[in-house]
Amino acid sequence: MTQQEQAPTEQTEVKNNEGLDNLEAFDSIEEEPLESTMSPTAALEEQVALLKDQLLRTHAEMENVRRRASEDVTKAHKFAIEKFADGLLPVQESLEKALADNSGDLNTLREGVELTFKQLSTALEKGGIIVVDPKGETFDPHFHQAISAIPSELPANTVIDVLQKGYKIADRVLRPALVVVSAQS
């Protein structure tokens, strides 16, 4: 038994001795001889064995943490799109209903397409996809792709027309907007 392991036991015994005050109790602990039955080599070997056991347990725990983290990452990659796909299912169902409609009423068909478009826009918005429609803004090569430049009264590099909207997810460009910019005349 090491000196550190003895200390709590001896302190407990000191607390149980009601007749001694604290100073006398500490003096008596210091005066007690260390366990002489265990040789210093045996004590060190015991301590080494305890440390090896602790090291092996810590290593096993770290391997378990790594394995669990790896499984979590795999699951996150595998199911990351689940929420987004769930938002798109109503859009698919609406399109199927529109294709199955044989009424021939164009107004009804138009209303259905508008509602489906709203469903799709909502699903994209919930998925974190943002529309980039930069008409009238200054050209930004990070978010826009200039197709042509036309002389204009507007300041140079102002987006005059958007040929195709762009999209970004959070702050990352998913697809740049295809634009026509103004050139100095």
Side-chain angles (χ1 to χ4, degrees), residues 96-172:
E96 287 174 351
K97 288 178 184 176
L99 289 173
D101 182 36
N102 293 327
S103 69
D105 185 9
L106 290 178
N107 288 332
T108 304
L109 182 61
R110 180 169 178 80
E111 288 175 16
V113 169
E114 287 174 354
L115 290 173
T116 304
F117 178 73
K118 286 180 185 177
Q119 285 178 324
L120 179 60
S121 296
T122 301
L124 292 175
E125 188 178 299
K126 285 182 180 177
I129 298 174
I130 302 164
V131 176
V132 177
D133 190 5
K135 190 169 185 174
E137 296 177 6
T138 303
F139 176 75
D140 182 352
H142 296 103
F143 299 107
H144 315 137
Q145 183 176 350
I147 299 299
S148 65
I150 299 175
S152 173
E153 296 174 2
L154 295 172
N157 291 326
T158 300
V159 176
I160 297 173
D161 194 18
V162 178
L163 302 174
Q164 184 180 55
K165 292 179 186 177
Y167 295 90
K168 61 183 184 173
I169 192 164
D171 291 331
R172 180 186 248 175

Side-chain angles (χ1 to χ4, degrees), residues 72-93:
D72 289 347
V73 168
T74 302
K75 286 179 184 177
H77 286 151
K78 193 174 185 180
F79 299 110
I81 198 157
E82 182 178 12
K83 185 177 177 184
F84 182 64
D86 188 47
L88 288 179
L89 292 178
V91 176
Q92 180 180 353
E93 292 166 351

